Amino acid sequence: MTDACQRPGCTGTYAPDGYCDECGHKAPTATSPVSVGIAGPTGAGLGGTSTGTGTGTGTRSRTGGRGRLGANLVAVPPVPLRDPTTAVMADPQVPESQRFCGKCGRPVGRGRDGKPGRVEGFCPEDGAPFSFRPRLGLGDLVDDRYEILGALAHGGLGWIYLARDRNISDTGADRWVVLKGLINTGDPDAMASAMAERRFLVEVDHPNIVKIHDFAQHPDPKTGEVVGYIVMEYVGGRSLKDLALSRTGPDGKRAPLPLAQVLAYGIEVLPALGYLHDRGFLFCDFKPDNVIHAEEQLKLIDLGAVRRMDDMVSALWGTPGYQAPELATRGASVASDLYTVGRALAVLSFDFAGFSTRYADRLPDPREVDLLAREESYHRFLLRATHPDPALRFGSAGEMQEQALGVLREVLSSADRRARSAPSNQFTPERRTFGTGGGETSGVLASAKDRLGLRSPGERLDGPTVAAALPLPLADPNDPAAGFLATIAGPDPAAVVALLRGAPVRTPEVALRLIRALLEAGDIAGATAELDALPLPPADWRRDWSAGLIALAAGQPDRARTAFDVVYGALPGEPAAQLGLAAACELAGDGVGASLRYLRVWRVDHTFVSAAFGMARMLLATGARGAAVDILDEVPDSSSQHIAAQIAAVRARLSGEPGTLAEADLVDASVRLERLRLDEQRRAGLAIEMFRGALAWLGVNAPAALPGAIPRQRTTSQMVTGKVLGQELREREVRFGLERAYRLLATLEPDPQARYALVDEANAVRPRTVV
């Protein structure tokens, strides 16, 4: 099928699989073939096509035990196995759009003037022979053991056949296997690649990588030349490409896979790539076509492009739209492998029209893709995975998987408001909470404006305090000075600085610890000088984290915000990175930026209590008292800050101008205070705040009559029926309650001058009485 795509504005054409090679939308009259679960047709992923320099075929897969898709965080629907006998192609042939000369890469076997192209022949450019006809047919016996049932699929490096292992079947149980051979046995690059597979792929043994059983040989029925075949296990699932293309929305149009499911796929396959990398192999051609979802497991199925890291001779294989931009100039690397994973996840998660053309080397702007605008951490994850500079991508598959897992937790927690905290491999916990002044009870005679949280958000935090409270990067246990640093401790920062300056060896960990000690000692200039000399590569995020702490301590929140933003880009799955950025945004007066990050941190991890208080401050600044109280109520009772959060919730109910409060706010604050288990002094202090707030509210909403005047009559709708700490919401009753609170606090005050002041306050607020 080569008809032009009917989607408005699309310049693509419909590929043989029935989907547009540009936008990926299904042809109106075409039906999508069911994936055979062994290898999808070679192509540029969803709707794309490979060129002679960028092809790869899936080859195999096997079933195993129960999978762990989504790291037990998300339920991914299992894909049932398919009966292998229904997977054989009825008319096995290579589509003309995928026929290329194996030597020069030019198109061959193409039709002209309405006539179909030749399946076999010679390249008009270099005379190299080509053949796109399956070499094996029904009933052929390979190596006197494997009985061919037919062709399953085709790709850039070989035909894939379904066979029955007669050695096993003769015992009474069928054993289905897959044989992969060459499309063109005269192609030296393809032959070399197949031989490379034969040499080292037998070493590969990973539950998420298809297993090779055997190697077999069989003479070509046309030339008599002996052809090698790789014998692999069969798994009848579906490729990720097929799953993505077959998913439709209510309108019948193709809909991207759910983001949580896409991240679960990434988390599952990255360890398999890491396994290959640890053994000196590169996958090179990762894409949705080359991953099979079978029951509850994923399998990498196409090892045809796998090469050793030190192999500088073999032909490189990749797929446009997925392959890294430096593949043709610098060659393959771990970074280029991870790039392909990032591109594949992007293609699966949103409508990535033009991913192999217009956006072949970049991501769309978030303004063009709602998902990227909505899920900032996921967008940053993709940006790092596909960064144009390989040195700025993730350093390993394990690191990328760790960040993908963090992003998945955020996505799930944002959806259902259920925290999914997990220990970080990058940061310590919060050293202490910051911004919790709303839950403190010292200074109860401070001005009502300060105590009720009405100061602007930028005034409530102190940069040095935040810098001293934020988490710290975990020390590298492999650092040469790790043992020495383990002995460095003490409350005197100056003494610690002296010890670190005399360290037996100067390492990055020593320098980072010295910067922290200098900040604790108040020597910002010294910390800055150490940072400038820090022996870390520019891509190391720990440099920017230290820069952010220094900027906070120096009272430069804008600089801190810039530094923490870089850290967030490098570690999009780390709540600590967003916490630092949120605090810097708040100090810089960026309430919107602070709110976004505080909320995400709190939704994911309830151990970051500073984020809950921060989000409450942001909500109070906009007058959203109820939402602020809801956030503070989420601080678990197991937290050391639970009481402080409840006190802050009481004050949140009373915050704002008196005219904006409702009777229900006063009553709710009272109920909250009464059920708190506090000592008498703290309870009396908070009672004073409560009664003050009630008096201010009465002055606006239910004014009492002046002495000697006739009391104002209220309508039924204006009648006040609630109580505050047992006192009716009338001025006289509230004043009596306030007086008693002052006198109780006076009895508990050890300072005579303060005690006299409290008694004076009690006398001043006491209502006039007749003796």
Side-chain angles (χ1 to χ4, degrees):
M1 179 181 296
T2 58
D3 294 339
C5 179
Q6 297 182 21
R7 189 184 185 199
C10 181
T11 60
T13 57
Y14 293 118
D17 60 5
Y19 292 87
C20 176
D21 59 7
E22 176 65 19
C23 68
H25 280 252
K26 184 178 179 181
T29 59
T31 57
S32 175
V34 178
S35 170
V36 299
I38 295 299
T42 304
L46 304 187
T49 56
S50 294
T51 67
T53 59
T55 57
T57 58
T59 55
R60 55 199 173 174
S61 178
R62 74 179 183 274
T63 57
R66 183 176 179 85
R68 296 181 59 253
L69 277 176
N72 296 324
L73 291 175
V74 58
V76 178
V79 175
L81 300 181
R82 183 182 181 186
D83 182 351
T85 60
T86 66
V88 175
M89 299 175 66
D91 183 20
Q93 57 179 288
V94 179
E96 291 187 10
S97 62
Q98 297 178 21
R99 299 177 187 176
F100 296 92
C101 175
K103 184 175 182 181
C104 68
R106 300 290 182 88
V108 295
R110 307 301 173 94
R112 292 182 181 180
D113 301 325
K115 297 181 180 180
R118 297 173 60 90
V119 178
E120 295 180 316
F122 298 87
C123 175
E125 296 292 331
D126 55 25
F130 66 82
S131 175
F132 300 101
R133 193 186 304 279
R135 302 298 194 188
L136 302 178
L138 178 65
D140 288 346
L141 192 62
V142 175
D143 207 18
D144 294 326
R145 176 174 180 176
Y146 303 107
E147 180 184 353
I148 302 298
L149 275 75
L152 290 171
H154 50 77
L157 286 181
W159 278 101
I160 300 173
Y161 304 94
L162 177 67
R164 179 188 291 111
D165 185 347
R166 294 181 62 175
N167 285 10
I168 303 296
S169 299
D170 288 345
T171 65
D174 281 336
R175 180 190 188 186
W176 302 102
V177 295
V178 174
L179 272 65
K180 177 184 174 183
L182 294 178
I183 284 182
N184 189 344
T185 55
D187 176 7
D189 283 339
M191 181 65 75
S193 178
M195 294 303 296
E197 277 191 333
R198 182 177 302 170
R199 285 195 300 270
F200 65 77
L201 291 184
V202 69
E203 306 170 20
V204 175
D205 186 13
H206 188 276
N208 294 113
I209 302 176
V210 72
K211 182 64 178 175
I212 294 178
H213 289 313
D214 192 9
F215 295 95
Q217 292 184 328
H218 187 74
D220 186 287
K222 182 177 180 180
T223 65
E225 179 183 358
V226 175
V227 178
Y229 294 93
I230 303 171
V231 183
M232 300 164 285
E233 56 187 341
Y234 170 87
V235 176
R238 301 175 69 187
S239 72
L240 298 191
K241 174 184 176 180
D242 182 51
L243 289 172
L245 289 176
S246 62
R247 189 172 189 270
T248 58
D251 57 359
K253 297 181 179 179
R254 186 170 70 84
L257 295 173
L259 179 56
Q261 183 174 340
V262 172
L263 286 168
Y265 285 152
I267 292 166
E268 183 79 354
V269 300
L270 281 165
L273 289 179
Y275 169 89
L276 292 174
H277 296 162
D278 290 343
R279 283 151 183 78
F281 302 143
L282 298 171
F283 193 80
C284 295
D285 194 27
F286 183 90
K287 55 188 175 183
D289 314 52
N290 293 341
V291 184
I292 291 294
H293 184 177
E295 293 187 313
E296 297 182 5
Q297 281 190 304
L298 292 190
K299 298 286 186 178
L300 295 180
I301 60 167
D302 187 357
L303 305 187
V306 172
R307 60 189 284 142
R308 295 187 184 276
M309 291 182 180
D310 58 359
D311 182 357
M312 302 301 173
V313 179
S314 300
L316 275 174
W317 298 87
T319 301
Y322 296 100
Q323 66 190 39
E326 76 277 4
L327 195 64
T329 55
R330 301 188 189 181
S333 64
V334 169
S336 67
D337 261 8
L338 301 183
Y339 180 99
T340 61
V341 177
R343 294 288 295 186
L345 297 182
V347 167
L348 293 171
S349 59
F350 58 86
D351 187 4
F352 201 168
F355 78 96
S356 62
T357 53
R358 178 185 177 189
Y359 297 108
D361 57 357
R362 63 187 178 95
L363 295 172
D365 189 276
R367 290 171 294 185
E368 304 173 71
V369 179
D370 178 68
L371 176 70
L372 299 182
R374 188 174 66 252
E375 302 290 352
E376 181 184 11
S377 296
Y378 179 59
H379 181 219
R380 288 175 179 255
F381 172 83
L382 294 179
L383 285 174
R384 186 179 180 195
T386 62
H387 199 286
D389 184 352
L392 296 181
R393 296 176 198 151
F394 293 106
S396 67
E399 181 185 1
M400 187 172 176
Q401 182 202 23
E402 179 184 337
Q403 295 308 307
L405 189 56
V407 174
L408 175 60
R409 288 194 181 97
E410 180 182 313
V411 169
L412 296 174
S413 296
S414 296
D416 62 14
R417 301 183 64 172
R418 192 159 57 87
R420 292 171 172 82
S421 59
S424 172
N425 292 325
Q426 305 295 335
F427 285 99
T428 68
E430 251 186 326
R431 287 178 283 170
R432 59 185 69 91
T433 55
F434 61 84
T436 57
E440 297 172 2
T441 55
S442 59
V444 294
L445 297 181
S447 69
K449 182 177 181 180
D450 180 60
R451 296 312 303 162
L452 298 182
L454 298 178
R455 299 168 65 183
S456 65
E459 295 176 317
R460 293 193 61 82
L461 288 188
D462 173 70
T465 300
V466 175
L470 285 173
L472 292 172
L474 290 172
D476 181 3
N478 297 318
D479 188 271
F484 167 74
L485 290 173
T487 67
I488 302 297
D492 184 4
V496 173
V497 168
L499 288 173
L500 291 169
R501 291 197 184 280
V505 58
R506 181 75 171 188
T507 69
E509 289 296 343
V510 170
L512 290 168
R513 183 66 181 87
L514 178 57
I515 290 172
R516 191 176 92 196
L518 289 167
L519 282 180
E520 292 169 350
D523 186 357
I524 295 176
T528 302
E530 289 295 334
L531 178 64
D532 292 339
L534 187 62
L536 287 177
D540 195 314
W541 59 267
R542 293 177 298 174
R543 177 188 299 276
D544 296 285
W545 187 260
S546 297
L549 296 180
I550 292 173
L552 287 178
Q556 300 172 329
D558 286 320
R559 287 184 57 190
R561 179 169 54 175
T562 299
F564 289 136
D565 188 75
V566 174
V567 179
Y568 179 26
L571 302 174
E574 288 292 337
Q578 291 201 62
L579 181 64
L581 181 56
C585 287
E586 182 179 1
L587 286 165
D590 179 9
V592 174
S595 296
L596 288 173
R597 281 58 185 245
Y598 277 139
L599 184 60
R600 289 182 189 142
V601 173
W602 181 243
R603 285 283 170 260
V604 173
D605 195 337
H606 281 4
T607 65
F608 288 102
V609 179
S610 298
F613 279 87
M615 189 63 216
R617 287 193 303 275
M618 298 300 99
L619 291 168
L620 288 176
T622 64
R625 287 190 298 272
V629 170
D630 290 342
I631 288 288
L632 292 167
D633 278 343
E634 291 176 3
V635 176
D637 54 12
S638 59
S639 170
S640 62
Q641 296 297 318
H642 175 70
I643 296 297
Q646 288 301 302
I647 293 173
V650 170
R651 290 184 170 130
R653 277 296 183 198
L654 302 175
S655 67
E657 296 298 328
T660 66
L661 298 179
E663 180 184 345
D665 292 315
L666 299 173
V667 173
D668 180 69
S670 173
V671 171
R672 287 174 175 275
L673 180 54
E674 288 178 322
R675 69 175 179 234
L676 282 176
R677 295 183 178 180
L678 301 173
D679 58 74
E680 284 190 310
Q681 188 173 36
R682 289 198 295 172
R683 183 176 294 279
L686 289 171
I688 291 173
E689 293 187 28
M690 178 78 67
F691 286 127
R692 278 179 169 178
L695 276 179
W697 180 82
L698 286 168
V700 174
N701 296 279
L706 296 174
I710 299 176
R712 177 185 300 177
Q713 296 297 317
R714 303 190 186 98
T715 66
T716 302
S717 61
Q718 293 175 315
M719 296 300 292
V720 178
T721 59
K723 291 185 178 183
V724 171
L725 301 182
Q727 302 296 121
E728 293 184 3
L729 271 172
R730 293 184 300 180
E731 182 177 354
R732 179 181 179 82
E733 295 298 320
V734 170
R735 284 184 176 275
F736 276 130
L738 182 57
E739 177 200 8
R740 285 195 298 271
Y742 273 124
R743 295 190 188 283
L744 174 59
L745 192 60
T747 64
L748 301 172
E749 177 57 55
D751 180 24
Q753 294 299 321
R755 186 163 58 247
Y756 298 150
L758 289 169
V759 172
D760 289 342
E761 289 286 344
N763 292 331
V765 300
R766 176 184 175 84
R768 184 177 299 177
T769 58
V770 178
V771 179

